[in-house]
Amino acid sequence: MDAAMTQEQTGTKLKWLWLAVAVIALDLGTKALATAMLTYGDPVPVMPLFNFTLLHNTGAAFSFLAEAAGWQRWFFVALAVVVSVVLIVWLKGLKRDETWVAVAIALILGGAIGNVYDRVVHGYVVDFLHFYWQDWHFPAFNLADTAITIGAGMMILDIFRKPADKAADGSD
């Protein structure tokens, strides 16, 4: 009875793994299209301030460690695997009313797995979304990066939501 009661209280947030799978599918699909349809490094204007530009990133965000000797590939793969396991365990332990955090975790998880797939298979991450302003260019990114950023933003917003939630129910 305790296990059933615990299940009822916590719910199962693992049902949100479908969102992570959707992020992975969209990410890998758009990267495959970009690779098939774009020429490496050749910008294709979409609208003012935005191009599709196929680039390969051997580093992390903003090409961090891109110039390293190659060890960073497996370091980032191992880091993503560890983070993914932690995220799944965290997702499994969420309470029934923590849907916002579950969605955030699923987005981050899907993005991390999408990028780790690229690192394992290609040795680099495929980027193709490229914003710019005059001579300033924001580093190119992909849908996995977008999902990770949205998920992280949701986590940050959740920090500010928590105090209001606790004040409303009178607990600390």
Side-chain angles (χ1 to χ4, degrees), residues 20-135:
V21 171
V23 167
I24 295 164
L26 285 170
D27 176 60
L28 295 181
T30 56
K31 288 174 180 174
L33 281 172
T35 299
M37 299 175 77
L38 300 172
T39 302
Y40 186 85
D42 187 19
V44 175
V46 176
M47 60 178 53
L49 312 176
F50 177 67
N51 295 329
F52 288 141
T53 307
L54 180 64
L55 297 171
H56 299 157
N57 182 1
T58 56
F62 307 111
S63 297
F64 175 68
L65 293 178
E67 300 302 318
W71 61 266
Q72 75 276 20
R73 173 185 183 185
W74 299 111
F75 171 75
F76 291 133
V77 167
L79 182 62
V81 168
V82 169
V83 167
S84 295
V85 169
V86 168
L87 290 173
I88 291 169
V89 169
W90 186 4
L91 185 63
K92 187 173 191 255
L94 289 177
K95 294 179 182 150
R96 183 176 219 111
D97 63 342
E98 294 182 296
T99 301
W100 179 272
V101 177
V103 170
I105 290 171
L107 289 170
I108 295 168
L109 181 64
I113 293 172
N115 281 342
V116 84
Y117 174 89
D118 277 5
R119 288 188 197 287
V120 170
V121 172
H122 306 298
Y124 52 81
V125 173
V126 175
D127 289 327
F128 62 94
L129 302 172
H130 175 211
F131 286 91
Y132 64 93
W133 171 256
Q134 297 175 353
D135 290 333

Side-chain angles (χ1 to χ4, degrees), residues 152-167:
M154 289 176 71
M155 293 266 192
I156 292 166
L157 286 174
D158 189 59
I159 292 169
F160 296 105
R161 290 170 16 122
K162 293 275 185 193
D165 291 345
K166 287 183 179 181

